């Protein structure tokens, strides 16, 4: 099997995006193939970087946390890669994405619900990350739909 991705690989990804706990046996039964073939395909998808991580989607509100999205605009000439690396090292920052549009970077933070703590985290990001021109803050109040694929 080459590094090409085919319809079966895509179907595996779709199934796992809905339920990452599916076993190789369950995937094989659903797709009408063998567990060994699924195992080889999964190894390939991981090796070539198609599948980066297996994870969960927690309900932050029920856990007592706020999900805050920061739209970060950089000053002209600032190295986006340098800023994304710095943000990725911060414990409170859970997702860092390069973007095109109104912002250069989108960062997701998970913080306790106390506004002072959220303010402290945002101030820390702003102060310790030179080159930021502006940060737009959005509080996520509810995940209405969360599909990966």
């Amino acid at each position: 099997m080459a590094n090409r991705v085919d319809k079966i690989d895509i179907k595996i990804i779709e199934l796992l995006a809905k339920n990452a706990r599916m076993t190789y046996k369950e995937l094989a039964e659903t797709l009408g193939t063998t567990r060994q073939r699924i195992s080889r395909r999964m190894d390939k998808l991981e090796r070539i970087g198609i599948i980066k991580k297996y994870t969960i989607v927690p309900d932050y509100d029920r856990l007592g946390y706020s999900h805050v999205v920061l739209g970060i605009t950089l000053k002209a000439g600032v190295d986006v890669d340098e800023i994304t690396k710095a943000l990725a090292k911060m414990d409170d920052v859970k997702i860092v994405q390069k973007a095109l549009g109104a912002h250069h970077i989108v960062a997701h933070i998970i913080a306790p619900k106390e506004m002072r703590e959220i303010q402290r985290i945002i101030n820390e990001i702003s102060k310790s990350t030179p080159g930021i021109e502006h940060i737009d803050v959005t509080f996520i109040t509810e995940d209405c739909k969360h599909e990966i694929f």
Side-chain angles (χ1 to χ4, degrees), residues 51-143:
I51 294 178
K52 294 179 178 184
K53 184 183 227 181
Y54 299 89
T55 190
I56 61 166
V57 179
D59 185 326
Y60 297 115
D61 189 51
R62 288 184 183 199
L63 290 169
Y65 290 88
S66 292
H67 180 181
V68 183
V69 178
L70 306 178
I72 301 172
T73 304
L74 302 176
K75 295 176 184 172
V78 172
D79 185 351
V80 176
D81 291 331
E82 187 177 304
I83 302 300
T84 57
K85 287 177 188 172
L87 290 169
K89 291 179 184 175
M90 297 179 178
D91 289 338
D92 295 308
V93 177
K94 303 302 179 187
I95 299 172
V96 179
Q97 301 165 311
K98 293 181 190 177
L100 290 175
H103 305 290
H104 298 102
I105 300 170
V106 177
H108 297 246
I109 62 174
I110 305 304
K113 287 190 180 246
E114 296 83 26
M115 291 303 281
R116 285 195 176 131
E117 182 62 11
I118 294 168
Q119 182 179 25
R120 182 198 65 75
I121 292 167
I122 294 170
N123 286 341
E124 179 186 322
I125 289 169
S126 183
K127 288 178 185 176
S128 65
T129 314
I132 292 178
E133 182 175 300
H134 180 75
I135 299 177
D136 285 322
V137 179
T138 302
F139 287 82
I140 304 300
T141 58
E142 181 181 357
D143 267 352

Side-chain angles (χ1 to χ4, degrees), residues 9-62:
D9 295 325
I10 297 295
K11 191 64 182 165
I12 290 170
I13 293 165
E14 288 173 347
L15 290 166
L16 290 174
K18 289 182 174 73
N19 180 5
R21 295 181 70 175
M22 284 186 83
T23 65
Y24 287 4
K25 181 181 181 208
E26 291 169 329
L27 287 167
E29 288 172 358
T30 301
L31 296 172
T33 189
T34 66
R35 192 196 65 72
Q36 292 79 8
R37 284 193 177 135
I38 294 296
S39 177
R40 284 193 299 272
R41 285 177 178 273
M42 292 296 293
D43 288 345
K44 175 190 78 172
L45 292 170
E46 291 171 6
R47 186 182 72 255
I48 65 175
I50 300 292
I51 294 178
K52 294 179 178 184
K53 184 183 227 181
Y54 299 89
T55 190
I56 61 166
V57 179
D59 185 326
Y60 297 115
D61 189 51
R62 288 184 183 199

